[in-house]
């Protein structure tokens, strides 16, 4: 029964992280019924003020314990509405990450038709004046196998930083949260006076395919009237909530519309601060703030009624609160610090059953296609962590020398940084050198792989010449993942490509892919170039494709230029070419 906490310092991004390990607790405080929640919270606070370290969570369904007007579903049978473990002191953070394996086979994904219907109902309610915003969510469900500590390590690689915690309740229930969102940080003196900071997160944009596009995405997020409106609605709600426990005129918003960079998304946050009044206790803070407005909508009471009507069941720890209470002796005897995240980007394990919620705030200007893409973008973190994968480069080895080795290693280094994999130049070069010495003659296809620990390995396969022209076929449907990180980076996770592979015996060399906008992107294992209107062009990275090394060489040498190629342009194409570093430039025919 080991729990891990790895929280940012909310008030100083450059400060040392709060990273601790907790073993078997000396006491566990549990509430299974609403009438028990407040007493559990009070006992947890009393323990922290007496010098203990207390970690735990509140489920979203605990909300009526603080305000009976808040409507929720009945909790799942056996679920603890509030769970806190009391420890005398924490232990040091482990020196090495977990080395086990973990996978989750997800099923029961949210259906687009149901999502569109719910969005339409929400907008009808907005039009009728019932509320301004509703945070609508749905669960992903899956089967978990392996080591939960390894899964937490993978989640942290997928979503580094933020407010991460792995809490083991010891009864088969484990909560693994890599939430980037701070609910509140309260530095409270023994009399309850102190400073409280809330940092609601509202407003999302996907990361860009190139540095320039990525920077533009952040600028557009901060400037978007829809995203700013979504954010300011929740800021106003939090200001009002905090005023219930704040000294007069102390509520302020020192930072508004800040774009935070996460691996798969840009998120907009704002800071809301206040000074708490004398006599304030943790139950008062929760009665004022819980659940966080960013996961309900505004006004909170009406938004939660809409959530109850639209969502099929309880949210559980997702959208509740997860955090740590600890003594703050610098503020005097009996002082306490309380830091809670909003448990988004969070997986609950109940034995072999896994659950993860995905959602977004719906406002009047929301469009179903854009909101659905936001859900897909937010889901990327859990997909990345759900099964092991390696970063992959495919190089040509001929006469003991690698073709374009520097370019391949530069691309692998970028991917390693993106996925949080260690990359040691000496180890990778040593691995390739040993393979080249073992294969001094002839052409070889070399697969260079880098695992999550940063360990490289390489393998060689005989490379036969490719007869030209190669035959290419156009995909019958769009590649849904065209703008995902699994396309922008080359890894062993290639099921999305395998689904488009030509049938054996068809005589087709590869399949030409296109995105949902009807723009041609690449093939399943190479890039595309076409002669159109008298010039050779290759699709730009913004269309959703791998930045191939062969493609980069052709661009650098002036053989091709970037240019948009749409499906309707295909009849006008004068010549086709398949391009990658391994096989070079191959003449191609469309069949």
């Amino acid at each position: 029964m080991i729990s891990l906490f790895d929280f940012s310092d909310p008030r100083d991004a450059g400060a040392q992280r709060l990273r601790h390990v907790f073993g078997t607790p000396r006491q566990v405080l549990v509430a299974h019924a609403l009438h028990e929640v407040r007493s559990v919270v009070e006992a947890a606070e009393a323990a922290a003020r007496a010098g203990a370290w207390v970690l735990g969570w509140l489920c979203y369904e605990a909300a009526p314990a603080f305000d009976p007007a808040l409507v929720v579903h009945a909790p799942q049978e056996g679920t603890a509405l509030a769970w806190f473990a009391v420890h005398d002191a924490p232990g040091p953070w482990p020196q090495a990450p977990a080395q086990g394996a973990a996978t989750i086979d997800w099923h029961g994904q949210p259906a687009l038709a149901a999502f569109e219907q719910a969005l339409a109902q929400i907008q009808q309610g907005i039009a009728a004046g019932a509320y301004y915003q509703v945070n609508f969510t749905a669960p992903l469900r899956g089967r978990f196998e392996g080591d939960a500590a390894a899964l937490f390590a993978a989640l942290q690689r997928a979503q580094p930083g933020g407010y991460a915690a792995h809490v083991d309740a010891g009864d088969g229930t484990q909560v693994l949260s890599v939430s980037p969102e701070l609910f509140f940080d309260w530095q409270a003196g023994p009399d309850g006076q102190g400073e409280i900071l809330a940092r609601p997160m509202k407003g999302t944009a996907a990361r860009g395919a190139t540095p320039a596009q990525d920077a533009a995405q952040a600028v557009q997020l901060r400037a978007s009237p829809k995203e700013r409106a979504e954010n300011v609605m929740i800021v106003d709600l939090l200001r009002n909530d905090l005023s219930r426990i704040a000294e007069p005129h102390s509520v302020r918003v020192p930072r508004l519309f800040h774009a935070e960079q996460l691996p798969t998304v840009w998120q907009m946050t704002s800071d809301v601060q206040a000074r708490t009044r004398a006599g304030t206790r943790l139950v008062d803070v929760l009665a004022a703030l819980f659940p966080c407005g960013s996961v309900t909508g505004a006004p909170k009471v009406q938004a939660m009624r809409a959530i109850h009507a639209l969502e099929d069941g309880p949210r559980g720890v997702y959208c509740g609160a997860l955090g740590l209470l600890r003594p703050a002796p610098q503020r005097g005897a009996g002082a306490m610090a309380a830091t809670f995240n909003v448990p988004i980007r969070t997986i609950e394990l109940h034995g072999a059953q896994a659950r993860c919620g995905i959602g977004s705030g719906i406002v009047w200007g929301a469009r179903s296609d854009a909101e659905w893409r936001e859900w897909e973008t937010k889901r990327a973190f859990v997909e990345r962590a759900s099964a092991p994968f390696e970063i992959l480069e495919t190089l040509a080895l001929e006469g003991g020398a690698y073709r374009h080795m520097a370019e391949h290693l530069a691309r692998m280094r970028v991917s390693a940084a993106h996925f949080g994999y260690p990359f040691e130049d000496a180890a990778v070069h040593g691995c390739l050198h040993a393979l080249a010495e073992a294969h001094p003659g002839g052409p070889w296809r070399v697969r260079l792989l880098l695992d999550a620990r940063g360990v490289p390995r390489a393998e060689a396969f005989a490379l036969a010449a490719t007869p030209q022209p190669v035959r290419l076929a156009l995909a019958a449907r769009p590649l849904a993942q065209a703008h995902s990180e699994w396309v922008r980076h080359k890894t062993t996770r290639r099921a999305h490509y395998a689904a488009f592979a030509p049938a054996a015996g068809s005589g087709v060399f590869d399949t030409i892919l296109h995105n949902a906008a009807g723009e041609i992107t690449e093939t399943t294992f190479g890039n595309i170039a076409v002669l159109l209107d008298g010039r050779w062009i290759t699709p730009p990275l913004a269309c959703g494709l791998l930045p191939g090394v062969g493609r980069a060489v052709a661009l650098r040498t002036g053989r091709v230029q970037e240019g948009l190629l749409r499906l309707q342009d295909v009849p006008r194409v004068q010549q086709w070419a398949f391009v990658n570093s391994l096989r070079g430039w191959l003449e191609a025919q469309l069949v």
Side-chain angles (χ1 to χ4, degrees), residues 397 402 430-440 445-447 458-460:
L397 174 64
Y402 292 101
C431 177
L432 288 175
H433 178 71
L435 189 73
E437 284 195 327
H439 299 80
R445 174 173 63 92
V446 173
R447 281 168 51 92
E459 47 196 19

Side-chain angles (χ1 to χ4, degrees), residues 411 522 527 541 545-553 579-581:
R411 188 172 69 177
E522 58 183 345
N527 291 116
L541 297 180
L545 53 124
L546 180 75
V549 170
R551 172 186 179 277
V553 171
V579 186
N580 73 8
S581 175

Side-chain angles (χ1 to χ4, degrees), residues 5 7-11 18 41 44-46 48-49 52-56 58 84 163 182-189 194-198 276 280-283 285-286 289 321-328 330-331 334-341:
F5 261 78
F7 273 29
S8 299
D9 186 325
R11 299 170 191 272
L18 185 68
V41 171
E45 179 178 16
R49 290 188 180 277
W53 291 63
V54 186
L55 57 95
L58 290 162
F84 288 93
Y163 305 91
L182 174 70
F183 182 12
F184 66 84
D185 179 73
W186 183 37
Q187 306 290 321
E195 293 78 41
I196 189 165
L197 165 67
T276 53
T280 302
R281 288 295 181 258
L282 184 58
V283 289
V285 173
L286 292 168
L289 301 180
L322 187 154
L324 184 64
L325 312 175
R326 58 203 185 279
Q330 69 274 16
R331 290 180 171 268
M336 178 191 71
T339 309
F340 282 82
N341 75 14

Side-chain angles (χ1 to χ4, degrees), residues 474 512 514 517-521 528 530-535 537-540 543 563-576 590:
L474 196 62
I512 300 171
H514 53 95
E519 300 163 340
I520 286 177
T521 57
I528 281 291
V530 300
L531 183 63
L532 183 68
D533 299 330
R535 68 187 183 107
I537 63 170
T538 188
C543 293
L564 205 59
L565 179 64
R566 298 180 176 87
L567 289 174
Q568 59 261 40
D569 299 323
V570 167
R572 298 192 296 112
V573 171
Q574 297 159 281
Q575 294 182 50
W576 293 84
L590 184 66

Side-chain angles (χ1 to χ4, degrees), residues 80 110 141 190 256 261 282 305 321 357 369 404 456 460 486 507 510 520 557:
R141 302 181 190 277
L256 194 63
Q261 178 179 316
L282 184 58
R305 286 176 182 161
D369 58 342
H404 306 312
W486 306 112
D510 204 357
I520 286 177
T557 59

